[in-house]
Amino acid sequence: MVLGGSPLAMEYVYAALLLHKLKQNISEDNVKNVVKAAGVTPDDVRVKALVAALSEVNIEEALKAAPVAVAAAAPAGGASAPAAGGAAPAKEEKKDEKKEEEALEGLSSLFG
């Protein structure tokens, strides 16, 4: 993943998500402290890029738009269960594809 021209390691994203979950301000100092607590030496450029990118993002909305587990969409009877309505699965697939596209758009806005 690249954010602001610099590859962004996941520990920075996790730090921001943790701060958000704890209802803490996602500031450079807070992100640095979380990354340090994880045993990593924080990179100032990455921290600044993350904080700047997230300042324009509604994290709660982005998380709601995140894709859900694919396993949840699998039918309870498994693949061998007969399809009762021939057209119903096609409609569900289109809805799932649309939701997935919307979720990916939300994620792209989160990470620039």
Side-chain angles (χ1 to χ4, degrees):
M1 172 183 352
V2 176
L3 184 62
S6 170
L8 187 61
M10 289 307 295
E11 56 266 17
Y12 296 91
V13 175
Y14 293 145
L17 288 172
L18 179 62
L19 289 167
H20 173 75
K21 176 71 176 171
L22 298 174
K23 298 183 184 342
Q24 298 293 316
N25 184 27
I26 301 175
S27 66
E28 291 180 27
D29 287 336
N30 286 348
V31 171
K32 285 180 187 178
N33 288 336
V34 172
V35 171
K36 281 181 192 175
V40 178
T41 304
D43 179 356
D44 290 337
V45 173
R46 289 181 178 177
V47 171
K48 286 181 183 189
L50 175 71
V51 172
L54 291 178
S55 68
E56 300 177 12
V57 174
N58 182 337
I59 296 173
E60 198 62 39
E61 289 299 319
L63 289 174
K64 286 179 184 176
V68 293
V70 176
S80 62
K91 287 182 181 178
E92 288 180 30
E93 287 178 17
K94 287 181 183 179
K95 287 181 184 178
D96 288 344
E97 288 176 0
K98 185 174 181 180
K99 286 182 183 179
E100 187 174 320
E101 289 175 8
E102 290 172 356
L104 291 175
E105 290 174 4
L107 284 175
S108 67
S109 71
L110 176 64
F111 299 112

